[in-house]
Amino acid sequence: MSWVTGAAGSPYGVTNLPYGVFRHGGREPRIGVRVADLVLDLTGAEEAGLVLAAGAFGRPTLNDFMALGRPQWTAVRQRLVELLTDPQHQPAVEPLLVPLAEVEMALPFEVADYVDFYSSEHHASNVGQIFRPGQPPLLPNWKHLPVGYHGRAGTVVVSGTPVVRPCGQRASADGPVFGPSVRLDIEAEVGFVVGVGSPLGHRVSADDLTDHVFGVVLVNDWSARDIQAWEYQPLGPFLGKSFATSISAWVTPLDALADAFVPAPEQDPTVLDYLRDVPHRGLDLRLTVEWNGERVSEPPFAGMYWTPAQQLAHLTVNGASLRTGDLYASGTVSGPERGQAGSFLELTWGGSEPVRVGDGTRTFLEDGDTVTVTATAPGPDGTVIALGEVTGTILPAT
């Protein structure tokens, strides 16, 4: 039990303890950890000698701390649990707790590279039917490797950042036209944040996920479907994706999700040796998508065909190096039912079946719309872990 008010029974209790970067009272960004509806100032805690992190909490991003590696991550986490549960530490720690309502959250880490995968069989099949009617839903390579694309790290933004409607080329009966996207969409995803890098030319094994991945964020990979449909052949996503990718302000440590690992779906055909992860495990994360405050979808992450460990192995199998701050995302999380779709492209079946949102109906996003993605996971002893939400509001094209 924690002595912190509100921690008992909170999905942000001491079994969670996600990391973030915050501003408070006009001060420079500081590193913190969330407990209940409070933020523990880790920069101040390290200055006071309460935690030891080789000075990494004196930085304005998590990168230096993430680069320290798993032994240090584990030691700091154990120390934080001790500080927040042992009443003898309350007099020293309590002055370092700041109400969450008083802080402004910043991007928690400097993004080195960004890769987005395409790991849900249900999503890939749905998109195949919508974009390529009359053809096989899955392309021949899909069940042999985790398909992905290299995104734009510089447009990864923290939750709450407004998203300006992108402009670009889209197809029309009279040829390509230029203007604001009229089929603006979301992609509800889960992202994995790399802490420890790897040298160029080195392959990272699927067995080494926990040695390299520091934690998990929720991701909304905003997508302009009309721009995407015109440009994606033959090289894939580009301007239809690169204008903005939102991530949650809180990074949930992988250690906090130890009880959320579950058997992943069986893979047929058998994958190549470098993609074999033993045990073959996914994460039981239960996502919720809200459109203007109304729940429209509940995508289940446990059913993803390709696992985070396989994605990491494939990402590096050609010798590509990892860097601290690399972000790789799962791709859209969708289940077998329409109400489990992780994109509005699927939810409205390409815009042909509008859904009711509030007092009206929607197919794709309109200016002023707000989308929020949340998620929970099972924790130890029947507790619930909440992942930091990712939210964004659409602004008109400039």
Side-chain angles (χ1 to χ4, degrees), residues 47-59:
E47 290 171 349
L50 294 174
V51 293
L52 300 176
F57 290 148
R59 309 296 186 186

Side-chain angles (χ1 to χ4, degrees), residues 149-312:
Y149 75 93
H150 195 198
R152 190 176 181 88
T155 53
V156 176
V157 297
V158 70
S159 175
T161 304
V163 176
V164 176
R165 182 178 297 273
C167 293
Q169 287 193 33
R170 60 182 190 270
S172 77
D174 300 320
V177 296
F178 176 83
S181 170
V182 296
R183 292 168 66 89
L184 188 56
D185 196 4
I186 70 152
E187 290 191 342
E189 308 188 15
V190 176
F192 298 85
V193 185
V194 172
V196 175
S198 63
L200 187 66
H202 173 77
R203 300 174 184 175
V204 175
S205 168
D207 297 331
D208 294 337
L209 174 77
T210 58
D211 291 335
H212 292 274
V213 171
F214 171 72
V216 175
V217 292
L218 292 180
V219 176
N220 185 346
D221 192 36
W222 306 90
S223 300
R225 299 300 185 187
D226 42 0
I227 297 173
Q228 178 186 0
W230 174 241
E231 74 176 1
Y232 87 106
Q233 298 186 54
L235 291 182
F238 184 36
L239 301 181
K241 298 277 193 176
S242 62
F243 58 95
T245 300
S246 300
I247 66 170
S248 49
W250 297 104
V251 182
T252 302
L254 211 55
D255 283 344
L257 299 174
D259 289 88
F261 281 94
V262 293
E266 182 179 350
Q267 294 178 314
D268 184 21
T270 302
V271 299
L272 296 177
D273 285 347
Y274 79 91
L275 288 170
R276 291 180 183 170
D277 51 346
V278 181
H280 181 54
R281 300 188 303 170
L283 282 166
D284 183 15
L285 308 180
R286 303 165 191 184
L287 280 63
T288 297
V289 179
E290 293 185 353
W291 197 344
N292 294 340
E294 185 167 330
R295 181 175 298 190
V296 294
S297 181
E298 297 181 333
F301 189 74
M304 298 293 277
Y305 189 85
W306 294 104
T307 69
Q310 290 176 317
Q311 292 164 14
L312 183 65

Side-chain angles (χ1 to χ4, degrees), residues 14-391:
V14 292
T15 58
N16 191 343
L17 302 181
Y19 292 88
V21 173
F22 71 99
R23 296 183 180 90
H24 181 248
R27 303 169 79 180
E28 291 299 309
R30 301 168 77 83
I31 293 176
V33 67
R34 179 173 176 177
V35 54
D37 290 326
L38 300 166
V39 181
L40 172 58
D41 180 354
L42 294 181
T43 302
E46 186 169 31
E47 290 171 349
L50 294 174
V51 293
L52 300 176
F57 290 148
R59 309 296 186 186
T61 75
L62 286 169
N63 291 59
D64 282 6
F65 176 60
M66 296 193 303
L68 294 177
R70 177 149 301 282
Q72 187 69 46
W73 307 338
T74 300
V76 169
R77 180 174 174 81
Q78 291 172 344
R79 176 59 173 168
L80 292 176
V81 171
E82 178 187 351
L83 291 174
L84 295 168
T85 56
D86 189 337
Q88 72 174 345
H89 296 298
Q90 183 173 354
V93 174
E94 198 163 36
L96 297 171
L97 292 170
V98 181
L100 185 65
E102 295 180 7
V103 307
E104 176 189 357
M105 301 305 297
L107 193 67
F109 59 95
E110 184 178 348
V111 182
D113 279 302
Y114 168 51
V115 172
D116 197 21
F117 284 98
Y118 192 46
S119 296
S120 165
E121 183 175 0
H122 300 295
H123 172 67
S125 296
N126 289 337
V127 171
Q129 293 176 66
I130 294 169
F131 278 9
R132 301 185 305 275
Q135 300 180 41
L138 296 178
L139 294 173
N141 66 344
W142 198 89
K143 287 197 171 183
H144 293 277
L145 55 82
V147 174
Y149 75 93
H150 195 198
R152 190 176 181 88
T155 53
V156 176
V157 297
V158 70
S159 175
T161 304
V163 176
V164 176
R165 182 178 297 273
C167 293
Q169 287 193 33
R170 60 182 190 270
S172 77
D174 300 320
V177 296
F178 176 83
S181 170
V182 296
R183 292 168 66 89
L184 188 56
D185 196 4
I186 70 152
E187 290 191 342
E189 308 188 15
V190 176
F192 298 85
V193 185
V194 172
V196 175
S198 63
L200 187 66
H202 173 77
R203 300 174 184 175
V204 175
S205 168
D207 297 331
D208 294 337
L209 174 77
T210 58
D211 291 335
H212 292 274
V213 171
F214 171 72
V216 175
V217 292
L218 292 180
V219 176
N220 185 346
D221 192 36
W222 306 90
S223 300
R225 299 300 185 187
D226 42 0
I227 297 173
Q228 178 186 0
W230 174 241
E231 74 176 1
Y232 87 106
Q233 298 186 54
L235 291 182
F238 184 36
L239 301 181
K241 298 277 193 176
S242 62
F243 58 95
T245 300
S246 300
I247 66 170
S248 49
W250 297 104
V251 182
T252 302
L254 211 55
D255 283 344
L257 299 174
D259 289 88
F261 281 94
V262 293
E266 182 179 350
Q267 294 178 314
D268 184 21
T270 302
V271 299
L272 296 177
D273 285 347
Y274 79 91
L275 288 170
R276 291 180 183 170
D277 51 346
V278 181
H280 181 54
R281 300 188 303 170
L283 282 166
D284 183 15
L285 308 180
R286 303 165 191 184
L287 280 63
T288 297
V289 179
E290 293 185 353
W291 197 344
N292 294 340
E294 185 167 330
R295 181 175 298 190
V296 294
S297 181
E298 297 181 333
F301 189 74
M304 298 293 277
Y305 189 85
W306 294 104
T307 69
Q310 290 176 317
Q311 292 164 14
L312 183 65
H314 188 65
L315 173 63
T316 60
V317 72
N318 66 345
S321 59
L322 296 175
R323 293 192 292 171
T324 299
D326 279 355
L327 170 67
Y328 69 93
S330 62
T332 305
V333 183
S334 292
E337 301 173 12
R338 187 66 65 88
Q340 296 175 326
S343 71
F344 299 154
L345 176 74
E346 298 165 86
L347 188 67
T348 67
W349 205 250
S352 65
E353 301 175 12
V355 297
R356 178 159 293 280
V357 178
D359 295 331
T361 59
R362 289 284 197 280
T363 52
F364 293 96
L365 290 164
E366 297 182 7
D367 293 345
D369 282 357
T370 297
V371 176
T372 300
V373 182
T374 58
T376 60
D381 302 319
T383 59
V384 174
I385 301 293
L387 279 68
E389 70 174 32
V390 57
T391 189

